[in-house]
Amino acid sequence: MEDVFTPLDCLLPSGKQKICLLILNQPLDEDLFYVLWRKAAIRACADGGANRLYQLTAGNQESFVPDYISGDFDSIKPEVKAFYEEKKCRIIQTADQDLTDFTKCLAILLEEIKRYHLQVDTVVTLGGLAGRLDQTMASVETLFHAQKMTELPVLILQGSSLACLLKGGVWHQLRVDTGLEGEWCSLIPIGGPCLTVTTGLKWNLDHQVLQFGKLVSTSNTYEPHGADEGKKLVTVKSDQPLLLINKYKLELHGAFNTCA
Ligand SMILES: Cc1ncc(C[n+]2csc(CCOP(=O)(O)OP(=O)(O)O)c2C)c(N)n1
Ligand SMILES: O=c1ccn([C@@H]2O[C@H](COP(=O)(O)O)[C@@H](O)[C@H]2O)c(=O)[nH]1
């Protein structure tokens, strides 16, 4: 079975993927935010993610009201909660202290996609890869939950890195021809050893085992003159879920920041 996917399509203003957007409690990149917000079928904030949204959209906050804010609400500021409540944003308390606000917010999002039969190709998350290291590790763990909850790809973007967990046992064909690809990409075996085959990379893996303490494919890059140069395809197969991290470059210089 083959899974064809363009990881950076969501960042193209003219991209084809239909997305939903989840905002976590990390500084928001303005360009990323405005490109993604205008495309999203559902927009949600996890707890303090609402503070970040409120801050970024200062002066025009009523044009950027999310569909819901969920979480244990130990981070959202009272005035931010009151503002969005007044604007009819749904406030959903998720008190469970065994799952992160990110995981719980994602679970709600996936239920809504199902309930309203929304045509969605990708769930895009802003934040989650910086700040507290335990939270960053938890973000990656959320991707494992996500694979049990949905067939949809769940992406996490922050600070020029896009992270996505590739399913095990499937050939992934990754198109890397958007023009937004940066100079490196990595394959990280998170849950245990990953028997891996790749094509289209500078350092390909030929049925090699990626494993912490053995071999981890960081600072890899796309093959400069491969046979698939025209299409720019990378293929990856691993017997276990494998974390893909891509560098992206988005230089819009605020070109989209007036569109709600
Ligand atoms: C074994 C175990 N360790 C730790 C916890 C605590 N814990 C895990 S997820 C979670 C909720 C974290 O909420 P989130 O808003 O994502 O992070 P916060 O900013 O509140 O730290 C908590 C308290 C637990 N329930 N079980
Ligand atoms: O340093 C951080 C802090 C938070 N996150 C993510 O945001 C959500 C919500 O965080 P709150 O602090 O509870 O508002 C959390 O579940 C993390 O996924 C982060 O990535 N890094």
Side-chain angles (χ1 to χ4, degrees):
M1 209 173 93
E2 283 188 354
D3 207 2
V4 185
F5 186 58
T6 307
L8 294 176
D9 175 276
C10 65
L11 293 186
L12 290 170
S14 59
K16 294 183 179 62
Q17 289 171 13
K18 296 190 173 69
I19 69 156
C20 285
L21 178 64
L22 222 152
I23 299 171
L24 303 182
N25 189 9
Q26 278 293 288
L28 282 169
D29 177 293
E30 209 178 358
D31 281 337
L32 268 191
F33 168 77
Y34 287 107
V35 167
L36 294 169
W37 179 273
R38 51 190 282 278
K39 293 180 171 200
I42 301 181
R43 296 123 173 183
C45 296
D47 201 355
N51 300 337
R52 308 294 182 159
L53 173 65
Y54 189 78
Q55 192 181 22
L56 186 84
T57 57
N60 198 10
Q61 282 132 342
E62 48 290 307
S63 302
F64 297 93
V65 176
D67 294 284
Y68 68 89
I69 301 169
S70 67
D72 53 12
F73 299 145
D74 59 357
S75 303
I76 191 170
K77 294 180 186 161
E79 66 272 23
V80 171
K81 191 159 169 254
F83 173 82
Y84 288 120
E85 225 161 8
E86 208 257 320
K87 298 292 172 203
K88 308 285 178 251
C89 165
R90 278 172 298 145
I91 307 289
I92 306 171
Q93 178 121 26
T94 53
D96 180 347
Q97 291 296 289
D98 288 337
L99 296 170
T100 65
D101 281 343
F102 176 17
T103 304
K104 291 178 285 181
C105 192
L106 176 65
I108 294 168
L109 186 74
L110 296 172
E111 274 167 27
E112 302 233 327
I113 291 172
K114 225 185 264 174
R115 185 177 316 137
Y116 299 111
H117 306 286
L118 297 179
Q119 290 295 309
V120 173
D121 301 305
T122 311
V123 175
V124 182
T125 310
L126 282 179
L129 301 180
R132 284 170 46 181
L133 180 59
D134 67 326
Q135 291 281 27
T136 301
M137 302 296 276
S139 296
V140 174
E141 203 261 342
T142 299
L143 297 179
F144 281 76
H145 285 278
Q147 283 201 347
K148 293 186 188 153
M149 298 192 279
T150 181
E151 289 294 315
L152 295 176
V154 177
L155 310 181
I156 309 179
L157 286 86
Q158 187 174 4
S160 306
S161 296
L162 175 151
C164 146
L165 191 65
L166 301 178
K167 275 183 251 166
V170 177
W171 269 109
H172 296 273
Q173 288 204 26
L174 304 169
R175 292 190 59 162
V176 289
D177 58 357
T178 65
L180 302 178
E181 289 76 17
E183 53 280 0
W184 56 263
C185 62
S186 298
L187 292 168
I188 318 285
I190 299 290
C194 291
L195 181 64
T196 307
V197 189
T198 67
T199 66
L201 298 176
K202 182 168 178 186
W203 286 277
N204 279 307
L205 296 149
D206 181 11
H207 298 90
Q208 281 159 281
V209 174
L210 293 175
Q211 185 176 3
F212 276 51
K214 197 168 176 185
L215 179 66
V216 171
S217 179
T218 51
S219 300
N220 209 327
T221 192
Y222 308 112
E223 198 172 46
H225 306 294
D228 284 326
E229 174 65 7
K231 286 182 279 175
K232 292 209 172 161
L233 271 183
V234 169
T235 65
V236 182
K237 187 177 184 184
S238 158
D239 62 339
Q240 299 298 324
L242 182 60
L243 189 72
L244 167 75
I245 310 180
N246 278 335
K247 177 174 176 180
Y248 61 80
K249 312 174 281 194
L250 190 68
E251 283 148 17
L252 296 172
H253 307 296
F256 287 89
N257 68 3
T258 51
C259 317

